[in-house]
Amino acid sequence: MRRYFNTEGICEPSSHYMVQLDTRLDKIKRAYVDRGKYLTISRGRQYGKTTTLKALIKYLSPDYLVLFLDFQMLSSESFRNESVFSIAFAELLQKALQNSHLTQSEKCAQPIGQFFSFTQMNATISLRELFSHISLLCKTTPLPIVLIIDEADNASNNHVFIDFLSTLRGYYLDRENSPIFHSVILAGVYDIKNLKLKLRPEEEHQYNSPWNIATKFNINMNFTTKEIAAMLQEYETD
């Protein structure tokens, strides 16, 4: 199939003409992931966020176990209460583990198997139980785990998601004693750090983000003249 310029959805190098992302991916890896940073990437629709994240998975795979979750796959019912959300999140995590390049590794077989058993054998799961098993998973896998959540802002004004972020922050602050994800990237249109959450039933809003541990994302996501020229040269050559 001939490659073409794609303006809808994710771009794939084998099917579409694309700018080379390696320089950008290397900057993200060295400046954020290698340093164990938690961050958000917030850009508008059709800006290339998901394409960059998908490319980042492959770029990080030699050094990390990368788990990619998409909150578009969760319905509003998934946020009904803590247990429903925990089960839905565990199922997304399980699918990500199944898709990872380390699933068949002997070193990963036991911790991944234990996590699968936990998610399948429990009809109700609390956030405490969920994170306890995630911590065990992070402790026993041979490579550090990087968690990427796309469309994270779909759940931004939801109390259960806020509780999830608060628990994740707690583990982040205590990760020397309680192993957790090496790095976390939340991507969406809106910046999770700047949420004004509706925390009270009387419609009062206040700024109280549980994601204040996130470092500022300073990578320029715009295409340079050189990158665009290289892409057009590929097209011209074809």
Side-chain angles (χ1 to χ4, degrees):
M1 182 181 70
R2 288 194 172 209
R3 289 192 297 168
Y4 61 94
F5 291 102
N6 179 41
T7 58
E8 301 87 24
I10 301 172
C11 293
E12 297 286 349
S14 59
S15 302
H16 309 125
Y17 292 107
M18 294 175 55
V19 300
Q20 294 297 317
L21 298 175
D22 286 2
T23 300
R24 188 171 309 167
L25 299 177
D26 184 63
K27 288 180 180 179
I28 295 174
K29 180 179 184 296
R30 288 187 293 105
Y32 300 102
V33 177
D34 288 347
R35 296 178 179 179
K37 300 293 186 180
Y38 284 29
L39 63 142
T40 60
I41 299 178
S42 52
R43 296 292 187 277
R45 299 290 182 196
Q46 300 301 114
Y47 204 92
K49 297 187 305 296
T50 302
T51 296
T52 300
L53 294 176
K54 291 284 189 179
L56 187 62
I57 295 171
K58 296 178 182 178
Y59 194 83
L60 296 176
S61 290
D63 302 313
Y64 299 97
L65 171 56
V66 186
L67 303 179
F68 180 86
L69 280 58
D70 186 349
F71 269 17
Q72 288 184 121
M73 306 303 292
L74 297 180
S75 66
S76 57
E77 174 66 15
S78 300
F79 299 93
R80 178 162 53 90
N81 57 48
E82 178 179 316
S83 180
V84 172
F85 171 79
S86 297
I87 291 173
F89 185 87
E91 289 175 348
L92 285 182
L93 207 60
Q94 180 175 328
K95 290 180 181 178
L97 285 165
Q98 289 173 329
N99 292 332
S100 73
H101 69 294
L102 286 178
T103 301
Q104 303 303 322
S105 167
E106 286 187 17
K107 293 181 179 180
C108 280
Q110 183 175 357
I112 291 177
Q114 290 175 342
F115 187 80
F116 285 7
S117 297
F118 159 70
T119 58
Q120 293 168 356
M121 293 176 61
N122 292 275
T124 60
I125 302 174
S126 67
L127 278 175
R128 181 186 60 80
E129 292 170 323
L130 174 66
F131 271 90
S132 176
H133 281 77
I134 289 175
S135 182
L136 179 62
L137 180 69
C138 294
K139 180 180 180 179
T140 51
T141 49
L143 292 179
I145 299 179
V146 175
L147 176 67
I148 300 175
I149 302 179
D150 200 10
E151 302 294 341
D153 51 345
N154 277 7
S156 60
N157 201 32
N158 189 288
H159 286 268
V160 175
F161 182 60
I162 303 309
D163 290 342
F164 169 81
L165 289 183
S166 297
T167 306
L168 185 57
R169 178 181 62 182
Y171 270 84
Y172 170 86
L173 296 174
D174 191 43
R175 53 184 174 175
E176 287 188 4
N177 301 311
S178 302
I180 198 61
F181 305 113
H182 175 78
S183 179
V184 175
I185 300 174
L186 303 182
V189 174
Y190 303 103
D191 193 339
I192 298 295
K193 297 195 305 296
N194 298 324
L195 291 177
K196 289 192 175 181
L197 309 173
K198 187 168 70 176
L199 298 176
R200 297 183 176 86
E202 59 270 21
E203 301 295 324
E204 181 181 350
H205 292 65
Q206 75 178 47
Y207 179 80
N208 187 25
S209 173
W211 200 241
N212 57 8
I213 57 172
T215 190
K216 188 174 181 179
F217 183 72
N218 288 320
I219 304 296
N220 186 1
M221 296 282 283
N222 294 315
F223 298 144
T224 66
T225 304
K226 185 177 180 180
E227 289 172 332
I228 296 172
M231 175 180 63
L232 294 177
Q233 183 60 55
E234 284 188 25
Y235 172 72
E236 184 178 355
T237 301
D238 286 351

